[in-house]
Amino acid sequence: MDINFFMPTKVVQGKNCIEINVDLFRSFGTKALIVTGKNSARLNGSQRDITKALDIVGISYTIFDKVMSNPTVDCVFEGAELAKEQEVDFIIGIGGGSPMDAAKAIALLATQNITEEDLFQGKYETKALPLVMVPTTAGTGSEVTQYSILTNDRAKTKQSIATSVLFPKLSFLDAKYMKDLSMEITINTALDALSHSIEGMLSIRSTDLTDSLAVESILKLSDSLSVLKKAKEEQSPQIPEKVREQLLYGSMLAGIVIAHTGTTAVHSMGYSLTYFRNIDHGRANALLLPGFLKFIEKSDFAKVKTILTAMKLNSNDELDILFHELLGERETLTPEEIKKFSGIAIQAKNIQNSKIIPTQNDLEALYTQSLS
Amino acid sequence: MDINFFMPTKVVQGKNCIEINVDLFRSFGTKALIVTGKNSARLNGSQRDITKALDIVGISYTIFDKVMSNPTVDCVFEGAELAKEQEVDFIIGIGGGSPMDAAKAIALLATQNITEEDLFQGKYETKALPLVMVPTTAGTGSEVTQYSILTNDRAKTKQSIATSVLFPKLSFLDAKYMKDLSMEITINTALDALSHSIEGMLSIRSTDLTDSLAVESILKLSDSLSVLKKAKEEQSPQIPEKVREQLLYGSMLAGIVIAHTGTTAVHSMGYSLTYFRNIDHGRANALLLPGFLKFIEKSDFAKVKTILTAMKLNSNDELDILFHELLGERETLTPEEIKKFSGIAIQAKNIQNSKIIPTQNDLEALYTQSLS
């Protein structure tokens, strides 16, 4: 029995958790860089809660709100320049996966001289500015991982920076910021989280400990997805706060899982769907996940059965039906796209984590089965 | 849904994990204080593995091997003096709960001026020497908690220091050091761990997350206890390595649980059994646990049912039978002892954690039911 566990982030979840815990900011210094997107953090109240808290404890701040969806290498170098220029002591990332991942890369680049060429090469010193995170979607899990996923236009795909210095010091999880998220974003992000927990269980790096966290995550996410499915059918825009909280909790657990297991072929394949076809990241994974479960089921029936049981499903076919209802009409790929995307995915690092490593032919078959 | 989670210790479990990971020591400095008991760490090979590793990476060390069972305040002040005198950079605790808890108090006292009077008052600065732990029993969970439990002769009971700076930086879990542990110690420590997970679920501070870790822990510990029971019946001294590993894993998870939930009335009551009657700590908890579960069952049937289900038991009566078989003949208390111990337990901090807080009368009834 080999277990490795390391997740040093302090996680505080609950209504008004920032306001209640302003004192937690005091240890990080006197000046912060807030890294976020253009609008959402202002609209959902998270940015105001953060700036209020900083005012109370006398921490000054600068705001970098230029993070786009699927942030680029250029964007994080620009943010790091600002962090250095303003001599900030720590970074606060507010938003979905994009601002949080950008915040991490900025925290790294602000303390180390890393060239663009070396950014994804895995050789980093053990220093970074401390990170505080406020997720405003429930999907990425970035608030509890050591990963920063960026769009690398040189490699024409997403690539990851992974180093334990990027574990946030502190993450505030308040579901109230998700109150007005659209049904589509809510479902896509929930499916992203679900994919993390399921892929974690299908990773060669899974352990009893990550599996038990994954099962707890899958239980909570699946319960919530069934509420979302019903709300979608009834075209009801209101999602109960309790469901939002469960999604946020389940997504955080899924983050702890992938912090240890990494993701698998599903993510490797999904990146091209996002890069070339602009399909949302969570949706991209969800389109591919049922096929990948079938692919693994042939070799490890027991593990797939455990996953399906946690989802209260009896078979992969039932999973197909559920995902079909959640995803609606599927995008289709041309044979040329399938060939190209498979060629890129086969080179991704995380494909090596899969319990059964697909060949390029397997990848083509999986794309074909899922998107044509 | 309010969740708080913080457990920054890096846990590395596996055969020869110290030897395989010698590089992990490099970040802690150039001089270590090894804190351990008189004999066991030398006999079970753990001390040799540590000193070999330190030699390889060029770290010098001093050994403080004066930690007795249920270490006293005097003992940790003596260790702290040595740490200061030798100007060590970090502390390595090797052993069961006693040396690990002593190591933590030493790490605190070596960096802060705390008087004996203030030691259990809860006011500490946020600094301590870094701690590396090597548990050589599977019970305490101290390798992943912020607690140091010491015997306070002034208060005539065990008391705890709790501060997040005492979370170890690193813990090595290798079941090979437990190979020659007696059946009695193996059972007592396993029951201590089981008590941690169960008490964690009966704590007002339990959350979905701690409950899911507790259930995983109870599953693994119960599986192992049934093997131990069988081995005991057959008077077979050999416990399979796989069982030892599961016990160590389950005990570590139980430690993560109580790091968040604290312990409950069971521990408050058990301390007097250890202090005045010299009953082993794990055994003391186990003598009291079934009665406490019955006490809670009246108000929270569902939670107790979840615990029993994880143990593959149908009722509290089955739990009684199991514990009876594991514990053998019970010690008995006099009416005077019951009165005295209840008077001490009612003042313990952790009694306030219990889902249902027992009155002094309840405590007397629980002692009577369990030990007379």
Side-chain angles (χ1 to χ4, degrees):
Chain A
M1 174 180 260
D2 287 352
I3 300 276
N4 272 277
F5 188 80
F6 184 54
M7 204 296 286
T9 306
K10 183 179 180 73
V11 177
V12 183
Q13 172 163 10
K15 189 148 191 165
N16 302 323
C17 57
I18 294 175
E19 188 185 337
I20 294 166
N21 294 284
V22 292
D23 285 332
L24 293 179
F25 286 100
R26 292 185 198 273
S27 65
F28 298 117
T30 57
K31 185 154 194 195
L33 179 70
I34 296 174
V35 174
T36 189
K38 213 170 249 0
N39 293 311
S40 68
R42 261 200 307 276
L43 297 175
N44 63 33
S46 53
Q47 186 171 319
R48 192 186 55 238
D49 283 356
I50 282 290
T51 54
K52 256 196 201 166
L54 297 178
D55 288 342
I56 289 170
V57 296
I59 294 173
S60 65
Y61 56 87
T62 301
I63 297 176
F64 178 71
D65 59 2
K66 295 187 181 174
V67 183
M68 67 291 280
S69 248
N70 307 308
T72 58
V73 170
D74 286 350
C75 165
V76 297
F77 272 100
E78 186 184 342
E81 273 315 302
L82 183 62
K84 284 193 262 189
E85 191 185 291
Q86 296 285 322
E87 297 182 337
V88 303
D89 301 311
F90 68 111
I91 309 273
I92 302 172
I94 312 177
S98 297
M100 288 195 285
D101 284 4
K104 287 175 173 174
I106 291 169
L108 193 77
L109 293 168
T111 58
Q112 300 184 31
N113 283 318
I114 303 171
T115 63
E116 207 183 312
E117 290 72 29
D118 287 344
L119 188 55
F120 301 103
Q121 297 309 312
K123 289 187 181 146
Y124 315 107
E125 295 169 61
T126 55
K127 58 185 178 183
L129 292 180
L131 285 152
V132 177
M133 294 295 186
V134 185
T136 61
T137 63
T140 160
S142 182
E143 68 275 15
V144 289
T145 74
Q146 72 281 42
Y147 306 128
S148 166
I149 318 282
L150 302 174
T151 291
N152 184 2
D153 285 319
R154 286 168 184 264
K156 293 200 186 306
T157 187
K158 289 184 163 197
Q159 288 191 323
S160 63
I161 303 170
T163 161
S164 61
V165 297
L166 292 188
F167 275 111
K169 294 274 180 259
L170 174 62
S171 288
F172 288 113
L173 276 60
D174 192 334
K176 73 178 180 182
Y177 307 132
M178 280 143 241
K179 193 166 57 70
D180 296 325
L181 277 187
S182 72
M183 179 62 74
E184 192 189 344
I185 293 180
T186 306
I187 288 177
N188 284 345
T189 46
L191 289 171
D192 187 26
L194 184 67
S195 195
H196 292 159
S197 279
I198 292 178
E199 287 182 68
M201 291 184 73
L202 302 179
S203 162
I204 44 165
R205 289 152 65 194
S206 69
T207 64
D208 283 358
L209 178 47
T210 58
D211 278 359
S212 81
L213 293 167
V215 166
E216 166 74 357
S217 160
I218 293 169
L219 281 168
K220 294 300 196 296
L221 294 170
S222 298
D223 269 0
S224 306
L225 276 166
S226 64
V227 180
L228 295 182
K229 187 169 75 96
K230 207 158 162 251
K232 194 184 172 196
E233 281 161 12
E234 294 168 358
Q235 299 191 305
S236 147
Q238 275 312 314
I239 297 166
E241 187 171 300
K242 226 186 118 134
V243 172
R244 294 275 187 206
E245 287 177 344
Q246 282 216 345
L247 287 168
L248 193 51
Y249 167 65
S251 145
M252 178 271 290
L253 289 179
I256 300 181
V257 172
I258 57 166
H260 294 90
T261 62
T263 54
T264 65
V266 174
H267 268 66
S268 318
M269 294 173 73
Y271 289 156
S272 280
L273 300 184
T274 302
Y275 191 86
F276 295 104
R277 291 290 303 271
N278 206 26
I279 298 175
D280 169 89
H281 170 66
R283 180 178 174 85
N285 292 333
L287 287 165
L288 296 158
L289 188 62
F292 187 64
L293 269 166
K294 281 186 193 159
F295 173 76
I296 296 284
E297 192 180 30
K298 292 178 223 155
S299 320
D300 193 344
F301 180 79
K303 204 69 177 266
V304 175
K305 183 80 193 155
T306 306
I307 293 167
L308 294 172
T309 303
M311 295 184 73
K312 303 194 177 80
L313 299 173
N314 294 308
S315 68
N316 258 322
D317 290 337
E318 286 188 19
L319 182 80
D320 263 349
I321 295 168
L322 172 67
F323 273 53
H324 184 77
E325 286 169 356
L326 289 166
L327 294 170
E329 202 180 337
R330 284 171 181 253
E331 294 79 355
T332 56
L333 302 181
T334 65
E336 293 69 35
E337 284 175 319
I338 289 176
K339 220 168 180 64
K340 176 175 166 189
F341 297 175
S342 303
I344 293 173
I346 198 75
Q347 293 172 50
K349 273 185 283 183
N350 38 6
I351 209 160
Q352 302 295 328
N353 282 328
S354 312
K355 259 177 175 296
I356 315 295
I357 301 171
T359 62
Q360 191 157 344
N361 280 344
D362 292 331
L363 294 180
E364 289 183 16
L366 282 166
Y367 274 124
T368 306
Q369 182 186 336
S370 307
L371 290 124
S372 70
Chain B
M1 175 180 258
D2 287 352
I3 300 276
N4 271 276
F5 189 81
F6 183 54
M7 204 297 285
T9 306
K10 183 179 179 73
V11 177
V12 183
Q13 172 163 11
K15 189 148 191 165
N16 302 324
C17 57
I18 294 175
E19 187 185 338
I20 294 166
N21 293 284
V22 293
D23 286 332
L24 292 180
F25 286 99
R26 290 185 200 275
S27 64
F28 299 116
T30 58
K31 185 153 193 194
L33 179 70
I34 296 175
V35 175
T36 188
K38 212 168 251 0
N39 294 311
S40 67
R42 260 200 307 274
L43 297 174
N44 64 32
S46 52
Q47 186 169 318
R48 193 187 52 240
D49 283 355
I50 281 289
T51 53
K52 257 198 205 163
L54 296 179
D55 288 342
I56 289 170
V57 295
I59 293 174
S60 66
Y61 55 87
T62 301
I63 297 176
F64 178 71
D65 60 2
K66 296 186 182 174
V67 183
M68 66 291 281
S69 248
N70 308 306
T72 59
V73 170
D74 286 350
C75 165
V76 297
F77 272 99
E78 186 184 342
E81 272 316 301
L82 183 62
K84 285 192 263 189
E85 193 186 289
Q86 295 286 321
E87 297 181 337
V88 303
D89 301 311
F90 66 111
I91 309 273
I92 302 173
I94 313 177
S98 297
M100 288 196 284
D101 283 4
K104 287 174 174 176
I106 291 169
L108 193 75
L109 292 168
T111 58
Q112 301 183 29
N113 283 319
I114 303 172
T115 63
E116 207 184 310
E117 289 72 29
D118 288 343
L119 188 55
F120 301 104
Q121 297 309 312
K123 287 187 182 145
Y124 314 107
E125 296 168 59
T126 55
K127 58 185 178 183
L129 293 179
L131 286 152
V132 177
M133 295 294 186
V134 185
T136 62
T137 63
T140 161
S142 183
E143 68 275 13
V144 290
T145 74
Q146 73 280 43
Y147 306 128
S148 165
I149 318 282
L150 302 174
T151 291
N152 183 3
D153 286 319
R154 286 168 185 263
K156 291 199 184 308
T157 187
K158 289 185 163 196
Q159 289 190 322
S160 63
I161 303 169
T163 161
S164 61
V165 296
L166 292 188
F167 275 111
K169 294 275 180 258
L170 174 63
S171 288
F172 288 113
L173 276 59
D174 192 333
K176 73 178 180 183
Y177 306 133
M178 279 144 242
K179 193 166 58 67
D180 297 325
L181 277 187
S182 71
M183 180 61 75
E184 193 189 345
I185 293 180
T186 305
I187 288 177
N188 285 344
T189 45
L191 289 171
D192 187 26
L194 185 66
S195 195
H196 292 160
S197 279
I198 292 178
E199 288 182 67
M201 291 185 74
L202 302 179
S203 162
I204 44 165
R205 288 152 65 194
S206 69
T207 63
D208 283 358
L209 178 46
T210 59
D211 278 359
S212 80
L213 292 167
V215 165
E216 167 73 356
S217 161
I218 293 169
L219 282 169
K220 294 299 195 297
L221 293 170
S222 298
D223 269 1
S224 306
L225 276 166
S226 63
V227 180
L228 294 182
K229 188 168 75 97
K230 205 155 163 253
K232 195 186 170 193
E233 282 160 10
E234 293 167 358
Q235 299 189 305
S236 146
Q238 275 311 314
I239 297 165
E241 186 171 301
K242 225 186 119 133
V243 172
R244 295 275 187 207
E245 287 177 343
Q246 283 216 345
L247 287 169
L248 194 50
Y249 167 65
S251 145
M252 178 271 290
L253 290 180
I256 301 181
V257 172
I258 57 165
H260 294 89
T261 62
T263 54
T264 64
V266 174
H267 269 65
S268 318
M269 295 173 73
Y271 288 155
S272 279
L273 300 184
T274 302
Y275 190 85
F276 294 104
R277 292 289 304 271
N278 207 26
I279 299 174
D280 169 89
H281 170 66
R283 180 177 174 85
N285 293 333
L287 286 165
L288 296 158
L289 188 63
F292 188 63
L293 270 167
K294 281 187 192 157
F295 173 76
I296 296 284
E297 193 180 29
K298 292 178 221 154
S299 320
D300 194 344
F301 181 79
K303 203 67 177 270
V304 174
K305 183 80 194 156
T306 306
I307 293 167
L308 294 172
T309 304
M311 295 185 73
K312 301 195 179 80
L313 299 173
N314 294 308
S315 68
N316 257 322
D317 290 336
E318 285 187 20
L319 181 80
D320 263 349
I321 296 168
L322 172 67
F323 273 53
H324 182 76
E325 286 169 356
L326 289 166
L327 294 170
E329 202 180 337
R330 284 170 182 254
E331 294 80 355
T332 55
L333 302 182
T334 64
E336 293 70 37
E337 284 175 319
I338 289 176
K339 220 169 183 63
K340 178 176 164 189
F341 298 175
S342 303
I344 294 172
I346 198 76
Q347 293 172 48
K349 273 185 283 182
N350 38 7
I351 210 161
Q352 302 296 327
N353 283 330
S354 312
K355 260 178 174 295
I356 315 294
I357 301 172
T359 63
Q360 192 158 343
N361 281 343
D362 292 332
L363 295 180
E364 289 184 17
L366 282 166
Y367 274 125
T368 306
Q369 183 186 336
S370 307
L371 289 125
S372 70

